[in-house]
Amino acid sequence: MDRKPQPPHASQDGPPKTGPVVSLSDIGVGLAILAAFAILAFNVHVNMTAAGIQPGFAFLTQQAGFDLSETLIPYGASDSYLRAILAGLANTIAVAAASLVIACIAGLLLGLLSVSAAPLARLFALAYVELFRNLPKILVLLVIFVAAVNGLPSIRQALTFGPFTISNRAIYLPWLSADPRNTTWLLASLALVPALIWFWARRAARRQAATGRRMPVLPVALALGVAVPTALAIILRAPLGLSWPMLEGFSVEGGMALSIQFCTVAVALGLYHGAQIAEVLRGGIEAVPGGQIEAAAALGLTGGQTTRLVVVPQVLRTVVPPLNNQFANLLKNTSISIAVGYSDLMSVASTAINQTFRPLETMLITMSIYLLLCLALTGALNHWSARMRAREGRGAR
C-alpha cells in the first residue's frame, strides 16, 4: 500500500509552530498612532514657544522654596524641585505600604468571616463590604480625618498607652536614638534578613520538590530575624538606645511621629480596599471544590492543615489577577492624600505647577512615576504568580 504523501511542513508531533503574524493593517495603525502623538507634541511645542515658554526640565534644579509637612528623607525649602519630588515619592511609597498592610489584614479577616459558619459573622462581613463598596473613598478619608482631629485630645492632653502617645496632631512612639551606627544597623538588617529568608524558603521548596521532604521555614525565618540583627549589632557596636517621646511645651520631642494625616490616609485606604480584597478572597475560597476539603478531612488533615495545604494554594492561584488590580488601584488612590494636607507626590506636583508654571513637564514626571510604580508592583505579583503556576505544573507531572 502506498503511503499518503505528507505536507511539506507537517510533522508527527502536531501542526507546525508559527510565531505572531504582524499584518500591514497592524503596522498602519501603529504608524498612525505614532503620527498622532508626534503632531500633538509638535503643536504643544509651537504653542508654548509662542507664549514665551521654553519647554524643558531645567526647572528641576531650581530652588523649590516651599516646605513639606513631613518627609522621610532630608528636605528643606532651599532644596531643588527634584529633591521635593523625591521627598513626595518617598511619602507616597510609605503611605501606600502602610495602607496595603492594613487592607490585606482587613481583607483576609473579612474574607474568612464571609464564609464562616456563623450567621452573625457573615452578616457583619456583608454589611462592611457593602458599606465601603458604595461610598466614595475621599468621603471615607474626610470622615476619618474629621473624627480623628475632633475626637482625639490636643497635644497638651495627649493620651499615653504604654509606649504610645496619641494626640490629634500625631501618634508618637519610641524609636532608635539618633546615632549613625543605629542607622547602619537598621538598614543592614532590613536588607539582609529578607534576603536570607527568601534564600532559605527557595532552598526548602527545591528540596521538597526533589525529595518530597518538608524543611522548616517559619522557625528558621524567626531565628534569622533574631540572630542576624543581633550579630550585626555586635559587629557594628550599635548602641541600640531608644529615644522616647517626651512632652515639652507645645510639642513632643524624641521618638518617631506618625502624623494624623499619614495615619488617616493609611486607615481610610486600608479599610476601603480591605472590602474589595475581602470580596476577591471570598470568591476564591468559594471556588475551591467542597469534595477536596472532604477528602482532606478523610485523610486525617486538621482544619489548619486543610486550609494551609489545600485551600490556600488554590485560592492564591485564582485571586492573584484581581488582587493585582486592587493593589495597583490602592497605589494610585494615594493621590487623595492631598485632601487632608499630606505631602505626597501629587501634593508636591500641584505646588510645583503653581510656582513654576510648568504643568506639562510636571504632569509628565508625575504620570511616569505612578506608571513605573504600578508596573513594578504588578510585575512582581505576576512574576510570583507565574513561578507558583510553574511549580504546580512540575509537581503535577
Side-chain angles (χ1 to χ4, degrees):
M1 178 181 292
D2 295 336
R3 295 183 60 186
K4 185 177 180 180
Q6 296 288 335
H9 298 290
S11 65
Q12 299 298 326
D13 297 331
K17 297 180 180 179
T18 59
V21 178
V22 179
S23 64
L24 292 177
S25 61
D26 295 334
I27 297 176
V29 170
L31 292 177
I33 294 174
L34 291 177
F37 277 108
I39 293 173
L40 178 62
F42 177 76
N43 288 335
V44 169
H45 184 274
V46 169
N47 292 332
M48 291 180 66
T49 304
I53 302 175
Q54 185 63 33
F57 296 93
F59 73 95
L60 292 175
T61 60
Q62 298 174 5
Q63 180 177 328
F66 61 89
D67 289 317
L68 300 180
S69 60
E70 57 189 289
T71 59
L72 293 175
I73 63 175
Y75 170 79
S78 60
D79 289 324
S80 64
Y81 283 104
L82 178 60
R83 186 78 176 184
I85 291 174
L86 292 177
L89 173 60
N91 288 346
T92 293
I93 294 175
V95 76
S99 303
L100 190 59
V101 171
I102 296 174
C104 289
I105 294 175
L108 178 61
L109 294 177
L110 290 166
L112 294 176
L113 288 178
S114 63
V115 295
S116 171
L120 288 179
R122 294 198 304 272
L123 181 61
F124 172 78
L126 176 63
Y128 180 95
V129 169
E130 292 302 323
L131 174 66
F132 283 96
R133 285 178 64 183
N134 293 284
L135 289 177
K137 60 184 72 68
I138 194 169
L139 177 61
V140 176
L141 171 61
L142 293 177
V143 168
I144 295 177
F145 178 73
V146 171
V149 171
N150 295 330
L152 295 177
S154 63
I155 190 66
R156 298 289 294 177
Q157 289 81 35
L159 300 176
T160 301
F161 294 98
F164 300 99
T165 301
I166 303 174
S167 73
N168 60 0
R169 184 183 299 177
I171 297 177
Y172 304 90
L173 61 156
W175 193 245
L176 293 174
S177 59
D179 189 294
R181 291 171 295 177
N182 285 339
T183 303
T184 304
W185 169 82
L186 179 61
L187 295 177
S189 299
L190 292 176
L192 284 177
V193 172
L196 292 174
I197 293 176
W198 174 83
F199 175 79
W200 177 259
R202 188 174 181 182
R203 183 173 182 271
R206 288 180 175 177
R207 181 172 180 180
Q208 182 179 354
T211 64
R213 298 179 57 186
R214 296 179 60 87
M215 296 176 63
V217 175
L218 182 60
V220 174
L222 294 176
L224 288 173
V226 174
V228 172
T230 303
L232 287 174
I234 295 174
I235 294 172
L236 298 174
R237 297 181 180 179
L240 299 183
L242 289 179
S243 173
W244 291 82
M246 300 291 294
L247 179 62
E248 295 183 5
F250 292 95
S251 63
V252 174
E253 301 294 335
M256 181 176 65
L258 301 176
S259 70
I260 204 66
Q261 290 87 352
F262 174 89
C263 295
T264 53
V265 172
V267 170
L269 290 179
L271 296 180
Y272 180 86
H273 285 279
Q276 323 297 328
I277 293 175
E279 278 295 276
V280 172
L281 294 178
R282 181 188 63 80
I285 295 172
E286 292 183 347
V288 178
Q292 297 191 15
I293 300 176
E294 295 174 359
L299 291 174
L301 296 181
T302 63
Q305 291 174 328
T306 301
T307 301
R308 181 167 53 91
L309 301 176
V310 178
V311 177
V312 170
Q314 298 185 70
V315 170
L316 290 178
R317 184 176 57 194
T318 58
V319 304
V320 165
L323 279 182
N324 211 337
N325 189 38
Q326 288 300 324
F327 290 173
N329 285 337
L330 186 150
L331 179 57
K332 293 180 292 184
N333 287 336
T334 56
S335 58
I336 67 173
S337 305
I338 194 174
V340 294
Y342 180 69
S343 299
D344 70 325
L345 177 61
M346 197 65 195
S347 174
V348 172
S350 176
T351 304
I353 290 173
N354 292 332
Q355 292 191 178
T356 63
F357 302 103
R358 298 282 185 173
L360 181 62
E361 294 90 336
T362 307
M363 283 296 99
L364 283 176
I365 294 172
T366 307
M367 290 168 58
S368 300
I369 291 175
Y370 276 114
L371 177 62
L372 291 176
L373 288 177
C374 291
L375 288 177
L377 179 59
T378 56
L381 285 175
N382 287 333
H383 177 71
W384 175 76
S385 178
R387 287 179 58 87
M388 183 174 61
R389 290 175 182 271
R391 187 161 57 246
E392 291 178 356
R394 289 194 299 268
R397 289 195 299 267

